[in-house]
Amino acid sequence: MTTPLRRRQVLGLGFAALGTAVAAPAVWNRLQRSASSLRPATLASRGGVAELELLAQSSRSTIPGGPAELLTYNGRSPGPLLEVKAGDQVRLRLRNGLNQPTNLHFHGLHIPPTGTGDNVFLTVPPGGSTEYAFRLAKDHPAGLFYVHPHQHGLSADQVFGGLGSALVVRGDLDRIPEVAAAHESVLVLKDYASSGGQDAAMGVGRMLGREGRLLTVNGEINPELPIPSGGLLRLRLLNASNARIYRLALEGHPLVLIATDGGAIGTPEPLKELVLAPGERADVLVQGNQTPGSYRLLNLPYRRSGHMGMGAAEERPRTLATLRYAGAVAPLPLPQTLIPVAALPAPERTRRFVLAHAMGMGGMGGMNHAMGGMGGGGMGMGFQINGQAFEPDRINTRVQLGSTEDWLIVNDDVMDHPFHLHVNPFQVITRGGRPESQRRWKDTVLVKAGEEVRLRVTFRDFPGRTVYHCHNLDHEDMGLMGVLQIEERGV
Ligand SMILES: [Cu+2]
């Protein structure tokens, strides 16, 4: 339902695009100037076709206390909300007004990893442009997805610098009457470096994954979330941060989970806290059934490491946004059931992926590029899966199209790693040997230091080459990624 609330909440901050410190090729100057009259905050499909355009560029920031310049899509950080429907033909032109290569990843979409689809091996040079084009299946799950750069070695810089857009796919879940009746608000959670620079890009900060001190929702600091007494608010949460893991709680209200990364769950599940790692999404319903007033949406302290002293949690809860009661409506009920998540077939095989970090200079091919910006004075530090750092031309894992496998993700490290697989969603079967409470579609799962997670995935529909990796993007850039080849049977 379209409401002033929703429109307000997706607006985010605007930025005048000045293209100052980061010089772009002359061909983009005209575009950069024209972007100073802000482009729309939402880009949507019409009549089954989505014609979208994103211009990546450096823009002057207006976030109080934030960095002077941000990387933006169409002058915004986060970028415009993209909204499409299951069954749509999508054509998205990416124009690169940065002074370095970039590209796009369609995080969570079930589309081909080849050609003009979710092809992270494509690169758009500075001053260049390319069109991503694909059709979403008619039965593509409704959900909240994420468009962000995936240029190896630069992903973290570009996402931490400000690039990324939420992508809503409308479909099945949106037609459930109780969900359709809720006021909807997409909340993009993103942290930025402060202008003081204490949280800058060097040394141990990059090894842990850079976090910024400024916490924002849609580029705003502590925005208001109005709710009428008796009303229902659907918060669609995307962690678009480089490395920050959020631990969310809303004062006085449970967060009623209705969807995870890949779409709806079977039964609503009230949560006191919701942990959201980079790349993860969650849809929650909030009932306006408490004493009218103001309630803070909090980020509670979270420690990203099992190792003493490393990745120390912030000590205090931080306020992300404020729920404020305004007006009243006849009480809206919560849905009783949503969309059943079918069990996947029994796996044909189980593979083991051991995530670890590695010190030293030898035997770490593929990380030299990523290490270039570290200024570590000779000592190398990188990450590996099964003893190998990412090499774009080396296939690490070959699977058969149509097969189902169990992947045991073993975090043998002292840091948490959110594990992300492209193209095909999975279900978490066990965590630390314990079964999950209910089936959920996931594409990113937090594997804590020392933990083991068993996930199950069917490689459906699309052959081709893609990747799996840690979604702490500094870790990804430092080698924590593998190449997956999905092969047609008999090939
Ligand atoms: Cu990691």
Side-chain angles (χ1 to χ4, degrees):
M1 141 175 177
T2 303
T3 65
L5 159 65
R6 177 168 157 241
R7 179 159 171 71
R8 182 179 172 279
Q9 294 305 324
V10 299
L11 277 178
L13 271 190
F15 303 95
L18 298 173
T20 50
V22 181
V27 65
W28 296 114
N29 288 349
R30 183 182 53 80
L31 282 164
Q32 290 200 312
R33 277 197 301 277
S34 71
S36 63
S37 57
L38 268 180
R39 296 189 194 189
T42 301
L43 304 177
S45 64
R46 282 183 184 190
V49 178
E51 297 268 10
L52 311 171
E53 183 173 297
L54 293 178
L55 168 61
Q57 63 185 355
S58 179
S59 302
R60 180 165 293 175
S61 155
T62 54
I63 295 181
E69 296 255 331
L70 290 177
L71 303 184
T72 59
Y73 287 136
N74 301 0
R76 297 176 178 278
S77 177
L81 177 71
L82 309 176
E83 187 167 330
V84 300
K85 297 185 181 71
D88 277 355
Q89 176 69 41
V90 177
R91 287 195 281 274
L92 194 165
R93 178 156 294 277
L94 172 67
R95 298 187 183 279
N96 184 1
L98 307 173
N99 62 354
Q100 54 186 217
T102 190
N103 65 4
L104 291 180
H105 167 43
F106 296 88
H107 182 127
L109 292 189
H110 181 59
I111 56 175
T114 49
T116 60
D118 185 25
N119 184 350
V120 295
F121 297 97
L122 285 181
T123 286
V124 184
S129 88
T130 199
E131 186 176 82
Y132 294 87
F134 51 86
R135 183 179 288 281
L136 285 174
K138 283 202 170 63
D139 61 352
H140 195 288
L144 180 62
F145 301 95
Y146 178 23
V147 175
H148 67 82
H150 211 290
Q151 183 71 39
H152 182 61
L154 298 171
S155 295
D157 284 351
Q158 293 181 2
V159 168
F160 192 56
L163 293 181
S165 272
L167 169 68
V168 167
V169 176
R170 296 282 171 203
D172 48 11
L173 176 61
D174 304 293
R175 292 190 285 268
I176 292 177
E178 295 88 345
V179 176
H183 291 256
E184 180 183 288
S185 186
V186 174
L187 305 186
V188 179
L189 309 181
K190 203 158 173 57
D191 58 356
Y192 296 90
S194 56
S195 51
Q198 304 94 326
D199 34 16
M202 301 304 288
V204 75
R206 182 162 285 207
M207 187 186 78
L208 289 170
R210 285 165 284 176
E211 290 186 338
R213 293 188 178 193
L214 281 177
L215 304 190
T216 69
V217 174
N218 300 336
E220 293 185 67
I221 293 169
N222 191 16
E224 236 176 60
L225 305 172
I227 189 170
S229 215
L232 203 53
L233 189 56
R234 178 184 183 189
L235 299 180
R236 313 194 66 180
L237 301 153
L238 160 64
N239 182 349
S241 302
N242 172 55
R244 179 177 292 274
I245 297 170
Y246 293 82
R247 188 176 147 226
L248 304 168
L250 179 57
E251 291 177 326
H253 300 74
L255 300 170
V256 181
L257 185 72
I258 60 168
T260 54
D261 302 341
I265 57 177
T267 309
E269 194 172 319
L271 303 173
K272 275 205 288 201
E273 286 180 21
L274 171 66
V275 171
L276 212 59
E280 284 191 302
R281 289 90 67 210
D283 259 31
V284 299
L285 293 176
V286 173
Q287 271 188 303
N289 58 4
Q290 299 299 307
T291 308
S294 292
Y295 298 86
R296 294 176 298 168
L297 176 64
L298 295 170
N299 186 34
L300 302 175
Y302 183 89
R303 183 181 285 273
R304 291 186 291 158
S305 164
H307 194 272
M308 56 180 183
M310 282 176 42
E314 293 184 58
E315 284 146 25
R316 295 174 296 109
R318 301 270 306 270
T319 302
L320 294 175
T322 302
L323 183 77
R324 198 180 303 280
Y325 280 69
V329 296
L332 289 169
L334 288 171
Q336 295 301 302
T337 59
L338 297 161
I339 299 169
V341 176
L344 291 171
E348 292 172 30
R349 61 174 292 176
T350 296
R351 296 176 200 264
R352 194 177 154 87
F353 297 85
V354 179
L355 317 182
H357 74 266
M359 307 279 290
M361 296 304 288
M364 297 197 296
M367 57 172 290
N368 295 339
H369 176 57
M371 299 300 294
M374 271 191 72
M379 187 194 74
M381 164 92 206
F383 293 89
Q384 301 176 338
I385 300 177
N386 293 342
Q388 292 185 317
F390 173 73
E391 291 277 8
D393 297 324
R394 176 174 59 207
I395 293 167
N396 302 93
T397 306
R398 290 174 190 274
V399 301
Q400 289 204 305
L401 186 65
S403 69
T404 298
E405 298 195 353
D406 270 11
W407 284 14
L408 190 60
I409 314 300
V410 180
N411 186 343
D412 205 13
D413 202 354
V414 294
M415 287 173 258
D416 294 357
H417 295 299
F419 184 87
H420 173 51
L421 173 64
H422 291 204
V423 180
N424 286 289
F426 54 77
Q427 295 175 10
V428 174
I429 304 299
T430 60
R431 179 184 287 280
R434 292 183 309 279
E436 287 282 274
S437 59
Q438 78 164 301
R439 284 193 289 270
R440 302 167 179 192
W441 289 116
K442 295 287 292 170
D443 51 59
T444 308
V445 61
L446 181 59
V447 188
K448 294 180 185 173
E451 199 174 45
E452 291 187 7
V453 168
R454 178 182 293 267
L455 57 87
R456 186 163 298 166
V457 54
T458 301
F459 300 96
R460 293 191 299 121
D461 304 317
F462 308 121
R465 190 169 59 137
T466 188
V467 293
Y468 48 85
H469 62 89
C470 178
H471 219 288
N472 179 321
L473 295 175
D474 279 303
H475 295 175
E476 178 201 321
D477 281 342
M478 285 191 275
L480 225 178
M481 177 153 65
V483 176
L484 173 67
Q485 184 77 35
I486 304 170
E487 295 176 330
E488 294 185 73
R489 289 187 194 265
V491 172

